Amino acid sequence: MTLPAIERLRESSWPRVEFFVDSDQRPIASGTSPSTPIRRLLTSLSAACLSVLLCAGVAPAGQTTYRLAPGDRITVTVFGQPELSGDVLIDDAGTISLPLAAAIEVKDLTVFECQERINDKLLAEGLLRTRSVGVRIAELRPLYVLGDVRLPGAYPFRYGSTTQSAVALAGGYGPVDALRQTALSDYLLAEERVRQLTNQKRTMLIRQARLEAQRDGKDSFAPPDLGNAANDKDTLRIIGSEQDVFRIQATILQGQIDLLRSQKPLLKEQIEANSEQGNAGKKQLDLIRQQIDRYGNLLRQGLGTQNNDFNYRVLEANQEATVWRLLSDVSRLQVDAGNVDFRIKEVDAAFKRQVATELQQTRDQLNDLDITLPAAIAIRDARWRNVGGGAGAKHLISITRMRNGHAVVSDADETTPVEPGDVIDIKTEMPAGITSNDQAAAELLRSRPSGTEQASGQDFTSPISR
């Protein structure tokens, strides 16, 4: 029964019943109630509606066997808790973060297993009292189509996709009769793009070395091994710039710490001065009290006046206030002296937090470049081949897919199913007499990143299709 049906039931000829939901997410009736059996029926119907709402977050058919991976986006719905609901991206570590909850690892889980894990986590942390979490896939990792296609890039994954449909998304294979001038212009732009990305990656690697040295509290940093590019003028310029940043930030940090430390001797001098004044004030107070006692004897003998006695006591009160003020200043200065060390640690911790944040951002950019730079090189090579023409060309297809943390490459044909996150590389086998003059791009295309496995002929049938 749906919620509108319950509303109609409430508005029927039975006595009016008001509903609300308690902290355990259970419907409770209040106000005028019909009878115990009817109240139980309405509670059961409300619980059934809650189950229907939660089931709406379960993955549809075809997603039930899919294993979640970094880059997927899921929708988490917590009934009655909008602050815990929303779209969540699975990060590189295979975890998701929900408000008020610790990170939850969901990598390699099905949607149902993910839903159960989130339920268990929120229940264990006391954020929920009943299982009320629904999960569905909001967005799968895209497909990356590279090489000799009209529109290389990333495209949304659709269930049942094959390499042929992925090529269709990318506009089909590269043009056979390419317009030479346009193709040459595209090639030059692609070449500039590769140069920019290469320079950017070089900068990020050097910056990462600098930030890691700052994080570890080192006095200097050594740039990473960049091979033949180590003596390039652009590389030397980047290294010099990062070394300047390293020195400037170290100088600023040390200056802040030295400034705080310089306050301790001043505070110590003030404490000593106030302590001496306080001791002198105590002696004066003792003398005043002795004088009051002597004058009191004279007053009792009729040799003194009430006015003089009053003046002595006012003087005593003023001196006592002065002594207490000096002692209070001493206590405050001692607290300030203790806070100097705390503030020094706080300045150092703030600097370390800033370095950690910049280091994470740098690593994220390097991860992006590990994808975009090879793609840019492939596009550049394809642009050059478009300049040379493609009549009679044969298309070679390969798929790069992550397996247990490693990139595995397999040959494929147009009917091979694809999975989310696959990198589909289309190469054109040029006819005799037409070759690419861009040898550097060809070598980079043939090279594989560290950790890549060549698995020609390996079965890449998608578990979704199975």
Side-chain angles (χ1 to χ4, degrees):
M1 182 176 292
T2 62
L3 289 177
I6 295 178
E7 292 297 329
R8 291 195 298 269
L9 186 62
R10 291 170 51 187
E11 295 172 359
S12 65
S13 57
W14 291 343
R16 181 172 179 79
V17 181
E18 298 293 333
F19 286 86
F20 61 94
V21 178
D22 67 1
S23 59
D24 291 336
Q25 311 302 323
R26 296 175 301 194
I28 299 176
S30 67
T32 305
S33 175
S35 62
T36 300
I38 294 175
R39 185 165 57 250
R40 291 175 179 173
L41 173 62
L42 295 178
T43 302
S44 300
L45 292 175
S46 299
C49 291
L50 174 59
S51 300
V52 171
L53 290 174
L54 293 179
C55 290
V58 178
Q63 297 185 18
T64 54
T65 59
Y66 176 68
R67 299 281 175 178
L68 298 173
D72 290 336
R73 185 180 295 276
I74 62 175
T75 298
V76 179
T77 304
V78 184
F79 184 77
Q81 301 289 342
E83 66 277 5
L84 297 179
S85 304
D87 286 356
V88 186
L89 181 67
I90 302 176
D91 60 21
D92 292 341
T95 63
I96 61 173
S97 297
L98 297 177
L100 307 178
I104 305 173
E105 183 174 356
V106 298
K107 181 177 66 175
D108 296 330
L109 300 181
T110 64
V111 173
F112 179 76
E113 291 170 345
C114 173
Q115 177 176 296
E116 291 301 303
R117 178 164 295 183
I118 295 174
N119 263 309
D120 294 340
K121 186 71 173 180
L122 296 183
L123 286 170
E125 294 188 1
L127 297 176
L128 293 179
R129 295 186 180 179
T130 58
R131 309 181 74 82
S132 56
V133 177
V135 175
R136 64 179 177 83
I137 296 177
E139 181 182 347
L140 293 168
R141 290 167 292 152
L143 297 173
Y144 300 93
V145 186
L146 311 176
D148 297 335
V149 291
R150 294 180 183 271
L151 299 172
Y155 294 92
F157 176 82
R158 296 291 183 268
Y159 288 98
S161 296
T162 62
T163 55
Q164 187 177 36
S165 60
V167 171
L169 288 174
Y173 296 109
V176 176
D177 296 324
L179 298 175
R180 296 297 188 267
Q181 293 182 353
T182 302
L184 180 59
S185 176
D186 291 342
Y187 167 74
L188 294 176
L189 291 175
E191 173 68 19
E192 177 64 16
R193 171 69 171 166
V194 170
R195 190 192 68 80
Q196 291 176 353
L197 291 176
T198 301
N199 192 57
Q200 185 179 355
K201 184 171 184 178
R202 192 182 310 162
T203 301
M204 292 298 105
L205 288 172
I206 297 172
R207 182 170 300 169
Q208 179 178 246
R210 187 256 295 176
L211 291 169
E212 288 175 346
Q214 290 177 317
R215 177 200 62 190
D216 299 336
K218 296 182 179 179
D219 296 332
S220 61
F221 81 95
D225 183 12
L226 299 175
N228 296 331
N231 296 322
D232 181 78
K233 66 176 184 178
D234 288 337
T235 302
L236 295 176
R237 176 183 57 79
I238 296 169
I239 292 174
S241 177
E242 292 297 327
Q243 287 176 341
D244 289 342
V245 172
F246 185 91
R247 286 193 296 269
I248 292 171
Q249 292 185 349
T251 301
I252 293 174
L253 177 63
Q254 190 61 45
Q256 292 176 335
I257 293 175
D258 291 343
L259 179 62
L260 290 171
R261 285 175 177 167
S262 66
Q263 296 177 8
K264 295 192 72 174
L266 298 176
L267 292 172
K268 184 177 180 181
E269 292 177 1
Q270 293 180 8
I271 290 172
E272 292 175 353
N274 285 3
S275 297
E276 292 178 358
Q277 292 179 11
N279 292 331
K282 288 180 180 179
K283 292 179 181 179
Q284 294 178 8
L285 183 61
D286 290 339
L287 293 175
I288 292 172
R289 287 173 176 170
Q290 292 174 8
Q291 182 63 26
I292 290 174
D293 292 338
R294 287 194 296 268
Y295 195 81
N297 292 330
L298 294 175
L299 185 63
R300 284 190 293 273
Q301 297 174 10
L303 300 177
T305 64
Q306 292 288 342
N307 186 48
N308 288 336
D309 182 68
F310 175 77
N311 290 335
Y312 278 124
R313 295 192 180 276
V314 170
L315 183 61
E316 177 191 21
N318 291 336
Q319 186 62 28
E320 188 175 8
T322 301
V323 170
W324 281 111
R325 179 180 57 80
L326 291 171
L327 293 177
S328 175
D329 289 343
V330 169
S331 298
R332 177 181 57 80
L333 291 171
Q334 288 174 342
V335 171
D336 291 342
N339 286 337
V340 169
D341 293 331
F342 174 77
R343 291 172 62 188
I344 290 174
K345 293 181 180 179
E346 191 176 47
V347 167
D348 185 65
F351 178 74
K352 292 293 180 64
R353 286 194 298 269
Q354 178 185 348
V355 168
T357 300
E358 292 182 11
L359 181 59
Q360 184 59 47
Q361 292 173 350
T362 300
R363 287 173 175 171
D364 291 341
Q365 294 181 33
L366 283 172
N367 290 335
D368 293 339
L369 287 170
D370 287 340
I371 296 176
T372 56
L373 182 56
I377 293 171
I379 293 171
R380 177 186 65 178
D381 189 68
R383 293 288 187 264
W384 175 256
R385 286 200 293 270
N386 286 341
V387 174
K394 178 182 178 182
H395 301 294
L396 304 178
I397 305 175
S398 65
I399 298 178
T400 303
R401 183 176 297 163
M402 297 302 296
R403 290 290 195 195
N404 298 324
H406 297 282
V408 183
V409 181
S410 177
D411 296 332
D413 55 32
E414 293 183 343
T415 62
T416 302
V418 293
E419 292 185 12
D422 282 354
V423 179
I424 304 168
D425 192 6
I426 310 296
K427 290 185 173 64
T428 302
E429 191 177 65
M430 305 304 293
I434 300 179
T435 59
S436 171
N437 293 326
D438 191 356
Q439 297 299 327
E443 290 178 3
L444 287 171
L445 277 173
R446 287 195 295 270
S447 66
R448 297 293 179 188
S450 176
T452 301
E453 301 176 2
Q454 184 71 26
S456 179
Q458 180 172 340
D459 179 19
F460 262 0
T461 304
S462 169
I464 300 175
S465 62
R466 291 200 297 265

